[in-house]
Amino acid sequence: MQMLYEIGLEINGSLDLTQVIEEILNRAIVMVDARIGLLVISDNERAKIVGQVGVEDDLSTIIELPEVTNAWKQEKLSQHVVDISSGKHICIVPLVSRGETGGLLIFFDKEKRNNTVGPFEEQDESLLQSFAYQAGASLHNARLYESLDTAYEELKAAQLKLAQMEQLRALGELGAQVAHAMNHTLGIIAGHADMYLSFGRDPENTMKTILNTAESGQGVMERLQKFIRLNVGKKRVLVDIGQLIEESVSDIKALWLGRHGENVSHVDWMIDLDKVSETYANPTDIKEVISNITLNALEAMPSGGRLEIRCYEEKEFINIVLIDTGIGMNEETQKNIFAPFFSTNDDWGTGLGLAISYRIVADHNGEIEVSSSVDEGSCFTVRLPINIELQNNLEEHDDSTDIDS
């Protein structure tokens, strides 16, 4: 009993199938002084030898013996006398677990003290039958674990392939959108240059238009580069989110007034900022997130309206909520709102503002959500985790390290 207990601990101490097979064979053959030991399992209804001890010869013909093939239907040990080169006395022990025979232990010839061999004794049968319960369970668990591990690896490979396909699809879509944007820019430049050469238009106005269009194209490419390199070299410092919101609102008000001048529509600004914990973040990036969403809200209210910005702390997160009373979005627009180059504003939009914002929030391990209804306005919610310990203190991005510089 002590021996069986110790053997049980050993063979159940691992889920590695190879190691379990070796432990079962080595322990059993020593336990009953067998000359040869085999472990056979059924794989896809075909029997195969997965381990053998005592001889290195090919013993695959043994699994075709009638005594062996019949043993799969039994649950108890059986002994037989056979006339084969491997031995004369054969003992077959079914390894049963959960009502199914998962394997067979096959032993040849018990070695006697006088250097002779013979059949296995009654005490050997009793030991092997008790051992079979432990070995069967251990073998079942190891095979189940191996199947699970194989399935997991296959799933990982499938997910990787799917991710690569998605990356290629996104890259192709991004390339098409970049080409469309730049073709539009180059078309304007070429058109004005052609009109100047063909019709002798005012050179000063023509060159101003060409320069403005070229600068607009440069701006698109710069923002695209920023989107691609977003997670390169981000320095984290302790920041006050409320202060960043106030600075961003001040900048956006000046920008919006400069863009529209006297034609600017009236907007009621409602700023409600609770005192929140300081957190490690990149202040430039967080201000850009706030600015991008705020600009989108203002563009959605061409005739004016109300813009509410709230900030409060909830559990381990800082919530930034921006609510406008603008034209709102349908479900299709909401699905694509964070996609690169997706824009509903042909005059000012590049389609990168919210895509960059999404990447920034994700880079800070946060979340960004949007809810909207047509003609009722939109609500953007940014959740940033409160990090009170510095986790990333990389230097700011150095343009000299760019491969395209």
Side-chain angles (χ1 to χ4, degrees):
M1 292 298 294
Q2 180 66 22
M3 179 179 62
L4 286 172
Y5 172 74
E6 293 176 356
I7 290 174
L9 290 178
E10 291 295 330
I11 64 174
N12 287 289
S14 173
L15 286 173
D16 180 80
L17 183 59
T18 302
Q19 186 175 346
V20 168
I21 290 171
E22 290 179 355
E23 285 289 341
I24 290 175
L25 276 174
N26 290 330
R27 294 286 178 171
I29 199 171
V30 172
M31 185 170 60
V32 295
D33 296 323
R35 187 171 61 84
I36 297 174
L38 305 177
L39 180 54
V40 182
I41 65 172
S42 178
D43 190 9
N44 295 326
E45 298 184 354
R46 290 187 59 187
K48 66 176 182 180
I49 298 174
V50 293
Q52 65 184 62
V53 179
V55 66
E56 297 181 357
D57 298 339
D58 183 8
L59 303 177
S60 57
T61 56
I62 291 174
I63 60 179
E64 303 296 335
L65 292 173
E67 293 83 357
V68 175
T69 56
N70 291 333
W72 289 103
K73 302 175 184 178
Q74 303 173 1
E75 294 186 1
K76 292 187 178 181
L77 176 151
S78 61
Q79 286 204 67
H80 310 274
V81 177
V82 295
D83 186 15
I84 58 176
S85 59
S86 302
K88 183 177 180 181
H89 305 281
I90 181 173
C91 180
I92 306 174
V93 187
L95 301 181
V96 181
S97 178
R98 300 187 180 183
E100 294 183 359
T101 302
L104 298 176
L105 274 174
I106 304 175
F107 301 104
F108 281 92
D109 298 336
K110 179 178 178 65
E111 294 181 329
K112 309 282 186 180
R113 292 183 179 179
N114 56 0
N115 294 325
T116 60
V117 296
F120 295 91
E121 300 171 357
E122 184 178 347
Q123 182 181 358
D124 298 325
E125 292 184 358
S126 178
L127 281 172
L128 287 174
Q129 193 66 57
S130 299
F131 173 75
Y133 294 115
Q134 300 183 58
S138 181
L139 181 65
H140 174 82
N141 291 338
R143 295 186 68 185
L144 188 64
Y145 179 79
E146 184 182 56
S147 299
L148 184 63
D149 192 49
T150 301
Y152 177 69
E153 291 299 326
E154 291 175 352
L155 178 61
K156 283 203 319 185
Q159 288 177 330
L160 178 61
K161 186 176 181 180
L162 184 63
Q164 290 172 339
M165 292 175 63
E166 181 64 20
Q167 287 175 343
L168 289 174
R169 185 202 64 78
L171 185 60
E173 184 178 334
L174 181 62
Q177 292 167 335
V178 172
H180 174 76
M182 295 315 298
N183 279 335
H184 178 71
T185 300
L186 294 174
I188 295 175
I189 293 174
H192 281 274
D194 182 63
M195 291 181 65
Y196 169 71
L197 292 174
S198 301
F199 303 104
R201 285 188 59 183
D202 181 4
E204 183 176 351
N205 287 335
T206 300
M207 291 307 298
K208 283 183 178 179
T209 302
I210 290 175
L211 284 173
N212 289 337
T213 306
E215 289 174 357
S216 175
Q218 282 182 322
V220 171
M221 297 310 296
E222 287 173 0
R223 290 178 71 79
L224 178 61
Q225 283 182 318
K226 182 172 184 179
F227 175 75
I228 295 172
R229 296 195 308 248
L230 195 60
N231 61 348
V232 179
K234 290 300 180 184
K235 186 176 182 180
R236 302 286 195 262
V237 296
L238 271 177
V239 297
D240 182 341
I241 297 296
Q243 182 179 345
L244 294 182
I245 293 175
E246 291 176 348
E247 293 173 0
S248 299
V249 168
S250 177
D251 294 341
I252 290 299
K253 284 181 177 180
L255 174 64
W256 195 248
L257 181 61
R259 181 179 292 183
H260 294 278
E262 296 179 355
N263 297 323
V264 65
S265 299
H266 177 72
V267 174
D268 289 326
W269 294 78
M270 301 179 62
I271 312 298
D272 183 11
L273 308 177
D274 291 351
K275 182 65 177 177
V276 296
S277 302
E278 289 189 333
T279 182
Y280 277 100
N282 184 279
T284 303
D285 282 353
I286 300 301
K287 286 179 67 175
E288 178 154 12
V289 171
I290 299 167
S291 298
N292 286 337
I293 299 177
T294 304
L295 276 175
N296 268 25
L298 292 173
E299 290 167 358
M301 299 186 293
S303 301
R306 184 180 73 253
L307 178 57
E308 180 181 355
I309 303 177
R310 294 188 285 122
C311 177
Y312 59 93
E313 188 173 319
E314 185 179 33
K315 295 182 179 180
E316 299 178 354
F317 288 85
I318 296 174
N319 292 340
I320 305 171
V321 182
L322 297 96
I323 305 173
D324 66 67
T325 57
I327 59 176
M329 295 177 284
N330 57 32
E331 290 186 7
E332 186 65 25
T333 300
Q334 291 181 60
K335 290 179 181 178
N336 295 289
I337 197 69
F338 298 113
F341 288 99
F342 179 83
S343 176
T344 57
N345 189 325
D346 296 331
D347 295 329
W348 299 99
T350 63
L352 286 172
L354 289 180
I356 290 175
S357 298
Y358 188 90
R359 288 279 303 275
I360 289 173
V361 174
D363 188 50
H364 284 74
N365 297 319
E367 301 173 350
I368 181 169
E369 296 178 353
V370 59
S371 62
S372 182
S373 298
V374 176
D375 297 330
E376 294 183 9
S378 302
C379 174
F380 283 82
T381 302
V382 177
R383 295 187 184 88
L384 298 175
I386 300 174
N387 296 319
I388 58 176
E389 295 183 2
L390 184 58
Q391 297 176 339
N392 184 358
N393 195 26
L394 300 176
E395 293 300 320
E396 290 286 4
H397 179 70
D398 183 0
D399 291 334
S400 64
T401 62
D402 290 344
I403 60 174
D404 57 348
S405 60

